Amino acid sequence: QLQLVESGGGLVQPGGSLRLYCAASGVTLDYYAIGWFRQAPGKEREGVSCISKGGDITNYADSVKGRFTISKDNAKNMVYLQMSSLKPEDTAVYYCGAVRHLLFSRCVLSEEYNYWGQGTQVTVAA
């Protein structure tokens, strides 16, 4: 059974950077596409970024393009989300999700994912 654990969240000032980690255990990530999602209070979960099984195809929400970078290390069973130029509106709980079979054009849709971590809080404030 695949288990995901997010970490790396915290409090950061506007314009700052954070790196989020999604650690997988139980099975190898070679067979899973991974997505990063976030949910702010009172809002629905939204897709932030996603990466293919092999790590060679990525996708980003318009709101984070040019600021966030997703990467995947299948050998370490890890997925990363490097976030820079952070804004207060990036404040949310960030989750990673995993799915084995995915039409990649749908990779930012949370309903496509079968496995989820518990989330890590990111707060961007002065």
Side-chain angles (χ1 to χ4, degrees):
Q1 182 78 0
L2 175 63
Q3 293 184 323
L4 302 171
V5 178
E6 302 93 336
S7 61
L11 174 63
V12 63
Q13 292 186 340
S17 298
L18 276 177
R19 194 183 202 198
L20 302 185
Y21 303 83
C22 174
S25 62
V27 296
T28 177
L29 282 185
D30 293 61
Y31 303 111
Y32 290 84
I34 302 295
W36 279 100
F37 295 79
R38 64 188 181 187
Q39 189 165 18
K43 294 188 177 181
E44 293 188 355
R45 188 171 297 191
E46 65 168 338
V48 173
S49 181
C50 46
I51 191 164
S52 62
K53 297 177 185 180
D56 55 339
I57 306 172
T58 59
N59 197 6
Y60 297 91
D62 287 343
S63 59
V64 305
K65 276 181 183 175
R67 300 188 298 122
F68 290 11
T69 302
I70 190 171
S71 59
K72 192 171 186 261
D73 187 336
N74 284 339
K76 294 183 178 179
N77 249 18
M78 292 287 294
V79 178
Y80 310 96
L81 185 68
Q82 180 67 46
M83 307 186 296
S84 60
S85 302
L86 283 162
K87 305 175 182 179
E89 51 263 43
D90 295 317
T91 296
V93 178
Y94 283 70
Y95 301 88
C96 61
V99 60
R100 187 152 182 173
H101 302 293
L102 176 68
L103 182 63
F104 205 71
S105 60
R106 296 178 60 83
C107 77
V108 291
L109 300 177
S110 60
E111 59 263 33
E112 297 293 319
Y113 291 77
N114 310 115
Y115 302 94
W116 293 95
Q118 84 291 344
T120 185
Q121 176 71 47
V122 172
T123 302
V124 184

